[in-house]
mmCIF file of all heavy atoms in Angstrom:
data_model
loop_
_atom_site.group_PDB
_atom_site.id
_atom_site.type_symbol
_atom_site.label_atom_id
_atom_site.label_comp_id
_atom_site.label_asym_id
_atom_site.label_seq_id
_atom_site.Cartn_x
_atom_site.Cartn_y
_atom_site.Cartn_z
ATOM 1 N N SER A 373 101.316 -142.322 69.663
ATOM 2 C CA SER A 373 101.495 -142.185 68.226
ATOM 3 C C SER A 373 101.376 -143.561 67.586
ATOM 4 O O SER A 373 102.073 -144.499 68.015
ATOM 5 C CB SER A 373 102.833 -141.552 67.913
ATOM 6 O OG SER A 373 102.927 -140.278 68.458
ATOM 7 N N TRP A 374 100.509 -143.696 66.632
ATOM 8 C CA TRP A 374 100.292 -144.947 65.942
ATOM 9 C C TRP A 374 101.023 -144.918 64.577
ATOM 10 O O TRP A 374 100.875 -143.984 63.821
ATOM 11 C CB TRP A 374 98.805 -145.208 65.713
ATOM 12 C CG TRP A 374 98.046 -145.363 66.975
ATOM 13 C CD1 TRP A 374 97.414 -144.395 67.684
ATOM 14 C CD2 TRP A 374 97.887 -146.573 67.723
ATOM 15 N NE1 TRP A 374 96.844 -144.909 68.818
ATOM 16 C CE2 TRP A 374 97.121 -146.253 68.881
ATOM 17 C CE3 TRP A 374 98.291 -147.893 67.551
ATOM 18 C CZ2 TRP A 374 96.768 -147.188 69.820
ATOM 19 C CZ3 TRP A 374 97.937 -148.836 68.462
ATOM 20 C CH2 TRP A 374 97.188 -148.489 69.597
ATOM 21 N N PHE A 375 101.806 -145.902 64.386
ATOM 22 C CA PHE A 375 102.527 -145.972 63.106
ATOM 23 C C PHE A 375 102.043 -147.217 62.342
ATOM 24 O O PHE A 375 101.895 -148.321 62.942
ATOM 25 C CB PHE A 375 104.026 -146.121 63.343
ATOM 26 C CG PHE A 375 104.636 -144.935 64.052
ATOM 27 C CD1 PHE A 375 104.789 -144.947 65.427
ATOM 28 C CD2 PHE A 375 104.991 -143.805 63.345
ATOM 29 C CE1 PHE A 375 105.319 -143.863 66.090
ATOM 30 C CE2 PHE A 375 105.550 -142.711 63.986
ATOM 31 C CZ PHE A 375 105.707 -142.730 65.370
ATOM 32 N N PRO A 376 101.742 -147.040 61.078
ATOM 33 C CA PRO A 376 101.292 -148.221 60.307
ATOM 34 C C PRO A 376 102.435 -149.241 60.211
ATOM 35 O O PRO A 376 103.566 -148.924 59.936
ATOM 36 C CB PRO A 376 100.973 -147.619 58.941
ATOM 37 C CG PRO A 376 101.768 -146.352 58.880
ATOM 38 C CD PRO A 376 101.858 -145.827 60.290
ATOM 39 N N VAL A 377 102.074 -150.481 60.476
ATOM 40 C CA VAL A 377 103.071 -151.568 60.435
ATOM 41 C C VAL A 377 102.755 -152.431 59.230
ATOM 42 O O VAL A 377 101.669 -152.964 59.086
ATOM 43 C CB VAL A 377 102.981 -152.413 61.735
ATOM 44 C CG1 VAL A 377 103.986 -153.569 61.630
ATOM 45 C CG2 VAL A 377 103.264 -151.553 62.936
ATOM 46 N N GLY A 378 103.723 -152.562 58.349
ATOM 47 C CA GLY A 378 103.560 -153.431 57.160
ATOM 48 C C GLY A 378 103.845 -154.879 57.528
ATOM 49 O O GLY A 378 104.169 -155.219 58.663
ATOM 50 N N VAL A 379 103.716 -155.720 56.516
ATOM 51 C CA VAL A 379 103.939 -157.147 56.770
ATOM 52 C C VAL A 379 105.410 -157.401 57.162
ATOM 53 O O VAL A 379 105.711 -158.380 57.821
ATOM 54 C CB VAL A 379 103.573 -157.965 55.512
ATOM 55 C CG1 VAL A 379 104.508 -157.685 54.364
ATOM 56 C CG2 VAL A 379 103.507 -159.439 55.826
ATOM 57 N N GLU A 380 106.298 -156.485 56.772
ATOM 58 C CA GLU A 380 107.702 -156.658 57.107
ATOM 59 C C GLU A 380 107.938 -156.556 58.618
ATOM 60 O O GLU A 380 108.907 -157.067 59.144
ATOM 61 C CB GLU A 380 108.565 -155.615 56.403
ATOM 62 C CG GLU A 380 108.616 -155.755 54.884
ATOM 63 C CD GLU A 380 107.455 -155.045 54.202
ATOM 64 O OE1 GLU A 380 106.554 -154.575 54.960
ATOM 65 O OE2 GLU A 380 107.402 -154.991 52.965
ATOM 66 N N GLY A 381 107.000 -155.870 59.317
ATOM 67 C CA GLY A 381 107.177 -155.697 60.748
ATOM 68 C C GLY A 381 106.593 -156.851 61.565
ATOM 69 O O GLY A 381 106.767 -156.841 62.786
ATOM 70 N N ILE A 382 105.939 -157.780 60.926
ATOM 71 C CA ILE A 382 105.385 -158.917 61.656
ATOM 72 C C ILE A 382 106.438 -159.999 61.838
ATOM 73 O O ILE A 382 107.220 -160.260 60.891
ATOM 74 C CB ILE A 382 104.149 -159.470 60.867
ATOM 75 C CG1 ILE A 382 103.111 -158.385 60.674
ATOM 76 C CG2 ILE A 382 103.573 -160.678 61.595
ATOM 77 C CD1 ILE A 382 101.964 -158.813 59.824
ATOM 78 N N PRO A 383 106.542 -160.593 62.988
ATOM 79 C CA PRO A 383 107.541 -161.656 63.188
ATOM 80 C C PRO A 383 107.436 -162.759 62.150
ATOM 81 O O PRO A 383 106.319 -163.177 61.764
ATOM 82 C CB PRO A 383 107.235 -162.170 64.598
ATOM 83 C CG PRO A 383 106.544 -161.037 65.280
ATOM 84 C CD PRO A 383 105.762 -160.337 64.232
ATOM 85 N N LEU A 384 108.562 -163.232 61.696
ATOM 86 C CA LEU A 384 108.590 -164.254 60.650
ATOM 87 C C LEU A 384 107.864 -165.502 61.052
ATOM 88 O O LEU A 384 107.130 -166.115 60.241
ATOM 89 C CB LEU A 384 110.042 -164.614 60.290
ATOM 90 C CG LEU A 384 110.745 -163.704 59.261
ATOM 91 C CD1 LEU A 384 112.184 -164.168 59.072
ATOM 92 C CD2 LEU A 384 109.984 -163.728 57.949
ATOM 93 N N GLU A 385 107.977 -165.897 62.304
ATOM 94 C CA GLU A 385 107.307 -167.121 62.762
ATOM 95 C C GLU A 385 105.807 -166.997 62.596
ATOM 96 O O GLU A 385 105.133 -167.953 62.188
ATOM 97 C CB GLU A 385 107.670 -167.375 64.228
ATOM 98 C CG GLU A 385 107.064 -168.651 64.784
ATOM 99 C CD GLU A 385 107.434 -168.860 66.249
ATOM 100 O OE1 GLU A 385 108.239 -168.075 66.797
ATOM 101 O OE2 GLU A 385 106.905 -169.826 66.821
ATOM 102 N N LEU A 386 105.264 -165.821 62.912
ATOM 103 C CA LEU A 386 103.826 -165.590 62.772
ATOM 104 C C LEU A 386 103.407 -165.594 61.305
ATOM 105 O O LEU A 386 102.370 -166.141 60.945
ATOM 106 C CB LEU A 386 103.410 -164.273 63.454
ATOM 107 C CG LEU A 386 101.936 -163.924 63.407
ATOM 108 C CD1 LEU A 386 101.097 -165.002 64.066
ATOM 109 C CD2 LEU A 386 101.709 -162.569 64.092
ATOM 110 N N VAL A 387 104.241 -164.972 60.459
ATOM 111 C CA VAL A 387 103.906 -164.954 59.015
ATOM 112 C C VAL A 387 103.887 -166.365 58.442
ATOM 113 O O VAL A 387 102.937 -166.747 57.702
ATOM 114 C CB VAL A 387 104.961 -164.090 58.266
ATOM 115 C CG1 VAL A 387 104.708 -164.173 56.755
ATOM 116 C CG2 VAL A 387 104.898 -162.650 58.741
ATOM 117 N N TYR A 388 104.886 -167.177 58.792
ATOM 118 C CA TYR A 388 104.899 -168.542 58.289
ATOM 119 C C TYR A 388 103.754 -169.361 58.849
ATOM 120 O O TYR A 388 103.198 -170.232 58.122
ATOM 121 C CB TYR A 388 106.230 -169.218 58.639
ATOM 122 C CG TYR A 388 107.365 -168.842 57.705
ATOM 123 C CD1 TYR A 388 108.508 -168.248 58.176
ATOM 124 C CD2 TYR A 388 107.259 -169.143 56.351
ATOM 125 C CE1 TYR A 388 109.559 -167.910 57.318
ATOM 126 C CE2 TYR A 388 108.283 -168.809 55.467
ATOM 127 C CZ TYR A 388 109.437 -168.194 55.942
ATOM 128 O OH TYR A 388 110.440 -167.862 55.103
ATOM 129 N N ARG A 389 103.369 -169.099 60.077
ATOM 130 C CA ARG A 389 102.256 -169.854 60.654
ATOM 131 C C ARG A 389 100.949 -169.527 59.912
ATOM 132 O O ARG A 389 100.139 -170.417 59.682
ATOM 133 C CB ARG A 389 102.115 -169.496 62.142
ATOM 134 C CG ARG A 389 101.047 -170.323 62.886
ATOM 135 C CD ARG A 389 101.064 -169.965 64.346
ATOM 136 N NE ARG A 389 102.261 -170.428 64.983
ATOM 137 C CZ ARG A 389 102.414 -171.643 65.499
ATOM 138 N NH1 ARG A 389 101.434 -172.521 65.446
ATOM 139 N NH2 ARG A 389 103.554 -171.939 66.113
ATOM 140 N N VAL A 390 100.756 -168.263 59.539
ATOM 141 C CA VAL A 390 99.562 -167.867 58.807
ATOM 142 C C VAL A 390 99.605 -168.454 57.375
ATOM 143 O O VAL A 390 98.631 -169.006 56.890
ATOM 144 C CB VAL A 390 99.424 -166.334 58.751
ATOM 145 C CG1 VAL A 390 98.303 -165.931 57.823
ATOM 146 C CG2 VAL A 390 99.164 -165.799 60.139
ATOM 147 N N LEU A 391 100.762 -168.363 56.752
ATOM 148 C CA LEU A 391 100.878 -168.856 55.365
ATOM 149 C C LEU A 391 100.706 -170.369 55.272
ATOM 150 O O LEU A 391 100.288 -170.900 54.247
ATOM 151 C CB LEU A 391 102.233 -168.470 54.794
ATOM 152 C CG LEU A 391 102.470 -166.975 54.509
ATOM 153 C CD1 LEU A 391 103.885 -166.738 53.999
ATOM 154 C CD2 LEU A 391 101.449 -166.450 53.492
ATOM 155 N N SER A 392 100.999 -171.064 56.364
ATOM 156 C CA SER A 392 100.855 -172.544 56.312
ATOM 157 C C SER A 392 99.413 -172.975 56.254
ATOM 158 O O SER A 392 99.121 -174.127 55.942
ATOM 159 C CB SER A 392 101.514 -173.125 57.604
ATOM 160 O OG SER A 392 100.837 -172.725 58.778
ATOM 161 N N HIS A 393 98.481 -172.067 56.512
ATOM 162 C CA HIS A 393 97.031 -172.388 56.421
ATOM 163 C C HIS A 393 96.397 -171.839 55.174
ATOM 164 O O HIS A 393 95.163 -171.895 55.012
ATOM 165 C CB HIS A 393 96.305 -171.854 57.657
ATOM 166 C CG HIS A 393 96.733 -172.482 58.934
ATOM 167 N ND1 HIS A 393 96.312 -173.741 59.361
ATOM 168 C CD2 HIS A 393 97.589 -172.045 59.905
ATOM 169 C CE1 HIS A 393 96.882 -174.013 60.517
ATOM 170 N NE2 HIS A 393 97.657 -173.027 60.865
ATOM 171 N N VAL A 394 97.202 -171.290 54.290
ATOM 172 C CA VAL A 394 96.687 -170.677 53.039
ATOM 173 C C VAL A 394 96.628 -171.746 51.936
ATOM 174 O O VAL A 394 97.532 -172.580 51.832
ATOM 175 C CB VAL A 394 97.583 -169.484 52.638
ATOM 176 C CG1 VAL A 394 97.169 -168.944 51.265
ATOM 177 C CG2 VAL A 394 97.481 -168.380 53.679
ATOM 178 N N SER A 395 95.585 -171.693 51.109
ATOM 179 C CA SER A 395 95.484 -172.639 50.019
ATOM 180 C C SER A 395 96.448 -172.277 48.894
ATOM 181 O O SER A 395 97.036 -171.165 48.869
ATOM 182 C CB SER A 395 94.049 -172.660 49.470
ATOM 183 O OG SER A 395 93.743 -171.431 48.865
ATOM 184 N N LEU A 396 96.616 -173.178 47.945
ATOM 185 C CA LEU A 396 97.523 -172.945 46.834
ATOM 186 C C LEU A 396 97.106 -171.758 46.008
ATOM 187 O O LEU A 396 97.895 -170.935 45.577
ATOM 188 C CB LEU A 396 97.610 -174.208 45.978
ATOM 189 C CG LEU A 396 98.533 -174.107 44.723
ATOM 190 C CD1 LEU A 396 99.975 -173.834 45.157
ATOM 191 C CD2 LEU A 396 98.454 -175.396 43.926
#
Side-chain angles (χ1 to χ4, degrees):
S373 298
W374 296 92
F375 297 95
V377 178
V379 69
E380 294 85 353
I382 302 176
L384 275 178
E385 183 181 354
L386 181 59
V387 175
Y388 279 121
R389 186 177 292 272
V390 172
L391 290 177
S392 64
H393 296 282
V394 173
S395 67
L396 179 60

